[in-house]
Amino acid sequence: MKSQSSSGLSFVLVLLFSSSWAASAQNHEEFLQCLSLHSQNSNSFSQVIYTPNNSSYLPILQFSIQNLRFTSSNTPKPTVIVTPSHESQIPTVIKCSRTHGMQIRVRSGGHDYEGLSYVSELPFVILDMVIFKSITVDTETRTAWVQSGSTIGELYYRIAEKSKVLGFPAGVCPTVGVGGHFSGGGYGLMLRKYGLAADNIIDARLINVNGEILDRKSMGEDLFWAIRGGGGASFGVILEWKIKLLSVPLDVTVFTVDKTLEQNATNLVHKWQSVASKFPEDLFIRIIIRRVNSTRDGKETIQASFNSLFLGGQDRLLSLMQKSFPELGLAKEDCTKMSWIESVLYFAGFPRGESLEVLLDRTPLVRLYFKAKSDYVKEPISKNGLEGIWRMFYEDEAEAAEMILSPYGGKMDEISEYAIPFPHRAGNLYKIQHLVYWEEEGEVAAERHISWIRRLYSYMAPYVSKFPRAAYINYRDLDVGVNNQGNTSYAQASIWGIKYFKNNFNRLVRVKTMVDPGNFFRNEQSIPPISLWRKKKGD
């Protein structure tokens, strides 16, 4: 009897799988036919479409995957990848995706920490913006138009081509795509001087759910507000950004001073918490915490690297440090003078004298498995609290773990928490990025390391922001909450939404309701429209 029951169940499962596969295959074919039918030039369109039958499909899919967690055979793959060569092709992709029940995932650089720009549990299409990398710099107006498939490195390179005294306050990693980086906020080493990347966006062009191409004027100020820090993927397909270029001196000063526990690291990190946000806005000193081998006896210890960009000369920097943070013991020989664009290479980890051309290389230096989390600190962590962190860094899973502490103050304290959706402003001493990396394949290794960073995150709870425990959307973390699959409720989405956006979440929901009431542009952490959860409640 048991055997008959098992075989009957197997038959049903096979039948269900076959039906699901057949429906998916049919959707796939109908989607491709739709693209051909609605394209003005089907030949040119066929050159930017890749299906699993194409030999180029896997190389294109994997090229922009930055986190090896999402390269396994079990990771859901797109039915189709489209790499549009012209913006006129994108409305057709949106139209056909809507018609045939396909989700769209938009990818510019592939750095989404949870892979949401190229992974979905539902049938989906990747709209890969990799060809959209035109950058037009205008030094007279001190502005630039940057297409969303460009990387930060490409942007920095193009600015430096035209000017030695203009820069932009975006991130450190040169292979990050500007489409996602800017739309989530965009941290960089000049945030204390100029704020975030998103604070310096003055126009944008996007394609909405109806296939219309809109700029700031035609989209209106509400939508323009939402895409600058609220995550563009909830609202449409970002084509390009217009940014304000900002002054940098001909020469800047950088330093990295490493201190281990035996070299008073605990006291130095404790003191840094009280002074780093009060420095003049030209001075940015972050701390990178990791486990290393001690130079004295080869035993493992904890190292704090004080990593700094100063928008000025060495003498002024030394004077400032002697006055505000003499304990670090910064000396003349620790400091290096270089141009701002050379500092971009320095902080990206390239050796001195490396050609600027490396900024045009979209291939990451190394790909690893990793998991990340974020926190905001409002009161200095006690020395005992810091020592508890060090103990966790001695655990096996923390061999390649890091904590990056980035100071606030300066411009970040001056900008209103409501100016853009990104709300984490005055009142924060610094931001933490928690990271754990590993090289070992498989679910067991992944679970072990992810479990470690979750335990670290739990340990940190008493020392960081509360009600909500704030988080940064560009350090995406699905542990803080996810939408229900399909259409989600406001209550479900607010679990994570309040952590990323605080009180700005409600305004984002209102904008979403105006521009995408049917919730076509969605993912595990996309903004929901009000209309859907009202229908669920029977309103």
Side-chain angles (χ1 to χ4, degrees), residues 257 259 265 268-273 276 284-290 303-308 325 328 390 402-407 430-433:
V257 173
K259 298 289 185 180
L268 290 171
V269 173
H270 187 258
K271 175 66 183 288
W272 171 92
Q273 295 179 100
F284 176 93
I285 304 177
R286 66 177 181 170
I287 299 177
I288 303 172
I289 308 289
R290 56 172 71 96
Q303 176 182 277
S305 296
F306 294 80
N307 188 221
S308 176
F325 196 16
L328 186 62
W390 310 157
E402 290 182 344
M403 284 177 71
I404 303 174
L405 319 182
S406 297
Y430 59 95
K431 167 186 67 74
I432 301 178
Q433 181 176 193

Side-chain angles (χ1 to χ4, degrees), residues 145-261:
W145 276 101
V146 190
Q147 286 191 323
S148 64
S150 308
T151 63
I152 297 170
E154 288 167 342
L155 172 60
Y156 291 155
Y157 180 91
R158 297 303 171 198
I159 294 171
E161 264 189 328
K162 295 286 186 74
S163 172
K164 294 180 179 179
V165 292
L166 291 175
F168 191 70
V172 169
C173 178
T175 58
V176 170
V178 304
H181 185 64
F182 291 6
S183 70
Y187 271 98
L189 302 187
M190 294 199 292
L191 89 164
R192 303 189 68 251
K193 177 76 170 180
Y194 292 123
L196 308 175
D199 292 322
N200 295 283
I201 293 169
I202 54 178
D203 204 344
R205 295 175 69 247
L206 67 75
I207 301 180
N208 69 9
V209 70
N210 299 317
E212 300 165 316
I213 298 177
L214 307 173
D215 61 9
R216 178 175 183 172
K217 185 177 180 181
S218 55
M219 77 176 73
E221 287 303 303
D222 282 331
L223 181 51
F224 183 61
W225 173 86
I227 61 175
R228 290 174 298 147
S234 292
F235 303 99
V237 179
I238 308 289
L239 292 174
E240 56 184 336
W241 305 101
K242 187 178 185 182
I243 60 173
K244 179 171 58 177
L245 302 180
L246 300 156
S247 297
V248 294
L250 274 172
D251 294 309
V252 303
T253 307
V254 303
F255 70 78
T256 301
V257 173
D258 297 329
K259 298 289 185 180
T260 62
L261 296 186

